[in-house]
Every structure is written in structure tokens, then in C-alpha cells.
Amino acid sequence: MINVITLLVLFTGIGLPLYFLLATKKSNWQKAIGESFFIGVFIVVVILNFVQFLTININISITFKLFFIIAIVSLLIFAILHRKSITVPTLEHYKFEIKKHGFYLLIFVIIIVHLYHIILQNSSMPLIAWDAWNGWVAKAKIWHYHGISEPIINRFIWLQTDSVLTNPIVHYPDGLSLLYLLESGYWGWNETELNAVYPAMFIGLLLAFFGNIKLLISSPIYSWVAVAMLVTIPIINIHLVLSGYADIWIAAFLVLSIFNAQLFLNTNKIKTLIYTMIFVLSMLLFKLESWVWLCLLYTSDAADDMQC
């Protein structure tokens, strides 16, 4: 659980300044925290990709600590600047709310119980996903032991080159592998500990999901029910528990880009369009198949414009 909280703090703190630089007045705290986490992931992956491009070998342990310190400072500054708007409900308030909104309490319990079991299984199961041990995590393990700038080549040309390391998904973007690498700077190479990025990501997604639906529909009950449905979908639970799959990241960024695209159509705020573009670009940093979704989004928008 500590691992999950640590990653939530790190990525949320890194993404928070950019989020509030572009935030609109209609934003809520669930949307702010949830989307700041994914913006933080985007920033971290871009920075590490740039380091790779420059072929600079960095100390990943120092890098993790530096990111974490920046995140803590960012969260403290945010808390100081917004201390007047942050209210802590009293015990009497909770008693009143429990009596009045028993349905919300029931949904909240369902969500918390599911999250607890997801985190428990995620931290207990070995790394068995093929995509993980043969691909994403394998690349991260190479960089953990040999440095982030260590070149990796395709297996088909391995015999034609000097002695270098190979990987079956060397042609894929490195987003997920770089997240594993960053974590290894704190926990060392412990794959069970490194898998904590998945439940951390899911908590961020649930908050962003709740906040965006609340903005689009303006009804808390729909937001609660939608989040309860999302947290109990079996295929999502499997991806989170087994870890090592990049598809769940694509799905999360795709959902956030669609939400913000709809908000842009509703408000015509250019800042919301920038959010959309950040999440679309983030999706492309994780898997080549993201280009298919990008083309589908583009063609569907083009078809709507033609109908109009």
C-alpha cells in the first residue's frame, strides 16, 4: 500500500503545476488529482525519453528522489495557496451525510473493497504476464543494470552486430518500461514492488473518471455508479492484478482524451483542448497500437464534420 501511495504522490505532484496552469474554473478536486497523475506520467516519460535520446547515463536512484522531492514541494505549494478553499468536514457532518446518503456509502464501500483486493493481489502475485517478463519489464531490467542509454536491438539482426542486448518489442515506445525503470531507482529490482504503478494508475483513473462525469452530467449519483461499474469490470481487474500490460494505459489515456474533447466541445476552452492533446500524445508513448485509436478518433471527427 505504501508503494501505491508513494507513486500517487510522485506523479500527481509532478503533474499538478501543469494541470493548474491550464485548469478552468469548472474543474473539481477529483478531476484535478486524477488527471494530474497522468500528466505527471507524461512529463516523466518525456524527460526520460529525452535523456535516452541524448544517450546520457543517469543515476536512476537520484532521479527518483529528485522527482519525489519536486512532487512534495509542488503539493505543499498547492496546499498553501489553496488552504482557504480546503475544508475538513467534522464528525457531525459525516454522521449527517451517512444518514442522508446511504446509497453513496454503499457504493463507496464496494469501490474501497475492490481496490483493497486489487492492491493485495497485485502485491502478492508473481509477474506472469508474457508482455511483462518478455517485453516491457525486460527492457526496464536491462536499463536498470546497464544504464538507461544501453542500446537494444531487434533479435533478427542480433547475429549481424557486435555483442549487444536484444528484446522482442524494441520497436515499441518505451513509456511503460521507463516507468518501471524509474521505480527501480527507489525499490531496486523487485518486480512485485514495481507492479504498484498499476493500482496507483487505477486510483488516478477512478478520480479522473468521477470528476469528468460530474462535470459532463452534473449529477453525483451517475458519477458514483459509473465509478463502481468501472472498478468491478473483470478484464480491468485482471490487467491490474497481473500487471505488465500496456493496453490498460492506452485505455486510460484514451478515456481521458475523449472526456476532455467533449468538454472542449461544450466549453470551447482552448486549455481543455491542450489537455486532450497531452493525453493523446501520452497514449502514443506507450504502444504502437495507439496510432490506430488516434486515426479512429480523427476519422470519426472528420465524419461528424462532413455530416454537419
Side-chain angles (χ1 to χ4, degrees), residues 67-277:
F67 276 130
F68 193 75
I69 291 171
I70 293 172
I72 292 294
V73 171
S74 170
L75 291 170
L76 287 175
I77 293 174
F78 168 79
I80 293 171
L81 294 177
H82 295 82
R83 63 185 182 278
K84 293 183 179 179
S85 60
I86 298 174
T87 57
V88 180
T90 62
L91 183 60
E92 290 299 320
H93 171 83
Y94 281 116
K95 289 180 179 178
F96 174 77
E97 290 298 321
I98 290 172
K99 291 179 181 178
K100 186 178 179 181
H101 301 298
F103 178 71
Y104 294 141
L105 177 62
L106 175 62
I107 294 180
F108 179 75
V109 170
I110 291 173
I111 293 170
I112 293 299
V113 169
H114 266 77
L115 279 177
Y116 170 76
H117 283 288
I118 287 171
I119 294 172
L120 182 64
Q121 292 179 76
N122 176 272
S123 62
S124 303
M125 291 188 66
L127 192 66
I128 60 177
W130 180 90
D131 293 46
W133 58 261
N134 196 43
W136 315 112
V137 180
K139 274 205 275 190
K141 192 170 186 178
I142 289 172
W143 292 325
H144 173 76
Y145 286 109
H146 297 274
I148 192 173
S149 64
E150 177 69 24
I152 305 174
I153 63 170
N154 191 294
R155 289 177 177 177
F156 295 108
I157 62 172
W158 181 70
L159 292 174
Q160 305 171 23
T161 61
D162 294 331
S163 179
V164 291
L165 298 168
T166 181
N167 187 274
I169 57 167
V170 67
H171 56 291
Y172 271 86
D174 299 324
L176 182 54
S177 300
L178 291 173
L179 292 184
Y180 270 97
L181 176 65
L182 178 68
E183 289 183 82
S184 72
Y186 182 72
W187 289 293
W189 194 259
N190 185 328
E191 289 162 5
T192 304
E193 303 284 353
L194 300 179
N195 288 337
V197 71
Y198 280 82
M201 175 270 287
F202 193 51
I203 293 172
L205 177 62
L206 292 177
L207 289 170
F209 202 78
F210 184 94
N212 278 290
I213 291 178
K214 191 163 69 172
L215 279 180
L216 290 168
I217 302 180
S218 301
S219 175
I221 189 169
Y222 287 110
S223 304
W224 281 102
V225 171
V227 170
M229 292 176 65
L230 179 63
V231 80
T232 54
I233 295 175
I235 192 170
I236 293 179
N237 293 175
I238 290 171
H239 274 73
L240 296 167
V241 168
L242 296 181
S243 301
Y245 292 108
D247 307 83
I248 190 72
W249 289 91
I250 295 175
F253 285 118
L254 181 62
V255 166
L256 295 178
S257 61
I258 292 173
F259 273 141
N260 282 279
Q262 185 60 55
L263 287 170
F264 170 70
L265 293 176
N266 293 351
T267 62
N268 288 324
K269 298 286 186 180
I270 195 67
K271 292 181 178 180
T272 310
L273 180 61
I274 296 174
Y275 280 143
T276 305
M277 297 308 300

